[in-house]
Amino acid sequence: GMLGAGCACFVGPGDAAALAGRLVQALEDPRAVARLREACARRRPLFRPEAEARAVRALAARLTARR
């Protein structure tokens, strides 16, 4: 996920029960929501258009170098 597998809010693909648990936690625990907001704020720079463009160019370079 965007916040990484190490994030306490991580839910694996297809794990509906874990997702439901995280949603309930967000509704019931304001501290959990605060931690999620902090994690999002720390990762925000990774998703700026300039950073996204650099990441795509780097990926393209790696993929074309394999040929």
Side-chain angles (χ1 to χ4, degrees), residues 11-29:
V11 174
D15 193 344
L19 178 59
R22 296 295 179 241
L23 291 171
V24 169
Q25 181 184 32
L27 291 170
E28 296 177 349
D29 185 357

Side-chain angles (χ1 to χ4, degrees), residues 17-58:
L19 178 59
R22 296 295 179 241
L23 291 171
V24 169
Q25 181 184 32
L27 291 170
E28 296 177 349
D29 185 357
R31 292 172 298 166
V33 174
R35 288 190 302 271
L36 180 57
R37 281 190 180 125
E38 291 168 7
C40 289
R42 284 191 303 273
R43 304 219 13 125
R44 185 177 297 130
L46 298 175
F47 299 97
R48 289 193 175 117
E50 304 83 26
E52 292 274 341
R54 278 193 304 276
V56 168
R57 285 192 298 272

Side-chain angles (χ1 to χ4, degrees), residues 2-20:
M2 284 180 36
L3 299 178
C7 180
C9 64
F10 180 78
V11 174
D15 193 344
L19 178 59

